[in-house]
Amino acid sequence: MSGYTQSQRLQGLPPYLFAELDRMKQEQVKKGVDVISFGIGDPDLPTPPHIIQALAAAAADPKNHQYPSYEGMLTFRKAAADWYRTRFGVSLDPATEVLTLIGSKEGIGHLPLAFVNPGDVVLVPDPAYPVYQAGTLFAGGETYCMPLTPARGFLPDLGAIPAAVAKRAKILWLNYPNNPTGAVAPREFLAEAVAFARRHRLILAHDAPYSEIAFDGYRPESILNIDGAKEVAIEYHSVSKTYNMTGWRIGFAVGNAQILAGLGRIKQNMDSGVFQAVQYAGIAALSGSQQCVADNCRIWQERRDVLIAALREMGFSVATPKASFYAWVPVPAGFTSSSFCADLLAKAGVVVTPGNGFGAAGEGFARIAFTVNVDRIREAMDRIRKLGIRGG
Ligand SMILES: *Cc1c(COP(=O)(O)O)cnc(C)c1O
């Protein structure tokens, strides 16, 4: 059928970056190229066995086969609160300060529907995970981009936000450890962000799916560790990246009860909760031994070290990420983000993500997700070396 014009809210969106990348990659695969993809931030490592066993047992129990409550089982929310206390020393009321999500992406996309009216502003980092912007646009809001630059350690300059913009702003999005830059936020910056949110009476939404993927002894902090944060902030967590569970679709948001209640009302009206068997698996993940997380980090760190060493040897001036599984690589002189990524795909069969796909300020960079094994990283680096490209 023709004649079905998509809504203005869909027409207003930039093309979903990963869909476009996947199309380009499929073209190469069809040609028979052995493509090595560093494109999508999706762990290639398996979900630990004790979590799979918890799912299997719970899936066999008929009492888990019905509609789950939209906000999540209290036992899952208790497990999340307990994990928070152990990990961050933050106490949370599981009944009002924890909300279960069908993956944190869902809760990120829905938050503006609960609090943003047409014409309101949402402060979004640039470059950033695309869902902050999409959710804002779907709610009729306007985004104000906060550039993340190397000169500022990829932290937004909150002081540079014009007073008139701050006045109209409803939500401030932050994400540390950061996707796509791999940057981390010092405690002083988190404190500055909480003070900013309190001063302007806006919601501080901190997206922290990489809090457990950190290296060299570094331990990312929770925004809720900052005094007064619970008055203005929520924090999103995901089991996806921590326990290699991206396909399972479970995450949670914690913090200010009023903000979570608003998000919960959107969920109540738009979706049901997470399959209870998956919630039991989430409980097993959060309350079981955390050895699997340490083991994963060792694997990520080994890959990071191989990747960064090879890039540096080719002349790329790339920073060593302290957390996340992303390297944020300046493209060589004479290239744009797009031309560099297109070249690597066409001439080396290597997929990396153009930085400008995460926002205009990402131009000049490419993101490499080290979600492939060490042998494949070495192979990809060999192929790039043979192209004779030198980093600048
Ligand atoms: C992966 C990712 C998410 C989404 O995780 P899910 O819980 O699987 O939906 C959210 N934010 C950022 C920055 C991510 O990279």
Side-chain angles (χ1 to χ4, degrees):
M1 281 285 279
S2 60
Y4 294 119
T5 307
Q6 291 188 346
S7 65
Q8 286 164 5
R9 73 178 62 83
L10 283 184
Q11 291 178 38
L13 280 183
Y16 194 63
L17 176 72
F18 304 133
E20 173 61 12
L21 259 174
D22 207 45
R23 194 192 55 74
M24 283 163 58
K25 177 182 154 186
Q26 289 317 320
E27 255 171 38
Q28 293 294 316
V29 170
K30 252 187 238 149
K31 281 193 222 158
V33 176
D34 169 29
V35 171
I36 302 176
S37 180
F38 298 102
I40 300 185
D42 188 349
D44 57 313
L45 305 168
T47 306
H50 68 283
I51 299 173
I52 298 171
Q53 281 153 18
L55 172 83
D61 184 346
K63 81 175 187 319
N64 293 325
H65 294 172
Q66 291 177 292
Y67 283 123
S69 70
Y70 76 91
E71 78 276 27
M73 302 183 315
L74 191 59
T75 46
F76 176 81
R77 287 180 284 146
K78 276 191 174 130
D82 288 347
W83 179 82
Y84 237 82
R85 188 178 316 105
T86 308
R87 169 65 177 88
F88 297 114
V90 169
S91 34
L92 297 165
D93 176 355
T96 59
E97 295 178 330
V98 181
L99 181 65
T100 311
L101 299 170
I102 310 172
S104 54
K105 183 180 185 181
E106 173 260 299
I108 292 166
H110 280 152
L111 182 67
L113 285 182
F115 293 101
V116 170
N117 290 312
D120 288 345
V121 169
V122 173
L123 306 170
V124 175
D126 174 5
Y129 183 62
V131 187
Y132 313 137
Q133 185 189 16
T136 303
L137 298 179
F138 284 179
E142 290 169 27
T143 55
Y144 177 86
C145 290
M146 306 179 290
L148 307 185
T149 62
R152 296 189 54 85
F154 302 104
L155 303 170
D157 185 355
L158 299 177
I161 297 166
V165 171
K167 205 172 161 187
R168 287 166 58 215
K170 285 286 172 69
I171 302 174
L172 165 61
W173 281 106
L174 293 176
N175 160 223
Y176 293 97
N178 185 254
N179 174 10
T181 68
V184 299
R187 189 185 174 83
E188 306 79 70
F189 175 76
L190 298 179
E192 190 192 324
V194 168
F196 182 88
R198 289 168 64 111
R199 192 157 61 246
H200 297 286
R201 296 174 200 286
L202 46 78
I203 293 170
L204 172 47
H206 186 230
D207 184 20
Y210 300 100
S211 68
E212 305 316 295
I213 301 178
F215 315 117
D216 311 321
Y218 173 70
R219 297 286 274 164
E221 284 209 69
S222 166
I223 195 113
L224 298 180
N225 264 326
I226 305 296
D227 283 346
K230 231 196 240 178
E231 288 166 36
V232 292
I234 62 171
E235 189 158 68
Y236 287 88
H237 272 275
S238 175
V239 302
S240 290
K241 314 290 166 54
T242 310
Y243 304 100
N244 308 324
M245 292 173 70
T246 48
W248 297 55
R249 309 317 301 138
I250 182 164
F252 54 99
V254 300
N256 183 277
Q258 236 188 315
I259 302 171
L260 294 178
L263 178 55
R265 272 190 81 192
I266 297 296
K267 287 182 58 57
Q268 199 171 29
N269 285 281
M270 306 256 283
D271 62 42
S272 295
V274 176
F275 179 28
Q276 288 198 16
V278 171
Q279 295 190 53
Y280 281 110
I283 293 169
L286 293 168
S287 51
S289 163
Q290 301 300 296
Q291 187 56 43
C292 57
V293 180
D295 293 345
N296 272 348
C297 281
R298 251 196 311 280
I299 295 171
W300 297 126
Q301 181 161 344
E302 185 196 3
R303 292 174 177 186
R304 176 198 71 167
D305 292 344
V306 168
L307 175 73
I308 298 293
L311 288 169
R312 291 231 176 100
E313 200 191 294
M314 286 187 266
F316 288 93
S317 54
V318 58
T320 303
K322 277 204 188 117
S324 83
F325 39 62
Y326 302 114
W328 188 238
V329 184
V331 304
F335 285 95
T336 62
S337 291
S338 300
S339 70
F340 179 66
C341 295
D343 245 41
L344 291 195
L345 182 54
K347 297 179 182 164
V350 172
V351 176
V352 304
T353 311
N356 61 320
F358 298 97
E363 178 53 50
F365 289 87
R367 189 192 73 175
I368 300 185
F370 32 101
T371 48
V372 299
N373 69 38
V374 164
D375 289 344
R376 295 290 272 172
I377 293 173
R378 290 212 168 93
E379 159 82 20
M381 294 302 118
D382 284 346
R383 292 188 200 173
I384 295 170
R385 199 174 292 116
K386 283 187 191 127
L387 295 182
I389 291 176
R390 291 289 302 172

